[in-house]
Amino acid sequence: MPKDAAVEEFARLVRALKARDGRSYEALGRRLNASASTLHRYCSGATVPEEFAVIARLAALCGADEEERRALEAAWAAADRARRPPVPEAGRTGGAPAPAPAPAPAPGHARVP
């Protein structure tokens, strides 16, 4: 799923929860210990929360069932991966290429240290 599509799917699910609940951003924010502007950014797709916990609390507050909660968590995970920069290969530092491994000894010849 492309980056924008993953974030938009997550935002769509969060917006659906909020719309179904009917409370304002301010009212939900007070119950979740989050600001109204933060919730609005999640609903618009402008940001993705660092952790799923606030979304899990929103789901519970808005009466989401277990299937909806799992869908939200999967969408959050995809959006979270999409917003993070790619992780460099293990053992690589900077732009220098990794050294090539030493060639194996020819058959019948022992390697001498």
Side-chain angles (χ1 to χ4, degrees):
M1 181 178 291
K3 177 179 183 173
D4 292 336
V7 173
E8 181 52 38
E9 175 62 11
F10 169 72
R12 183 188 69 76
L13 292 172
V14 175
R15 281 192 308 270
L17 273 179
K18 186 206 174 290
R20 182 174 71 198
D21 183 76
R23 290 181 239 199
S24 68
Y25 289 112
E26 291 82 12
L28 286 171
R30 280 191 301 272
R31 299 284 305 268
L32 297 170
N33 197 28
S35 73
S37 62
T38 295
L39 292 177
H40 185 266
R41 286 192 302 272
Y42 297 161
C43 287
S44 70
T47 59
V48 176
E50 290 285 325
E51 297 177 358
F52 182 68
V54 70
I55 301 304
R57 291 192 318 268
L58 176 66
L61 182 64
C62 294
D65 62 22
E66 187 58 29
E67 184 177 329
E68 288 175 297
R69 191 199 157 296
R70 281 194 303 269
L72 267 167
E73 188 167 13
W76 169 81
D80 185 56
R81 282 190 305 273
R83 75 170 173 82
R84 293 183 186 271
V87 176
E89 291 180 36
R92 305 282 307 261
T93 57
H109 292 88
R111 181 177 274 174
V112 179

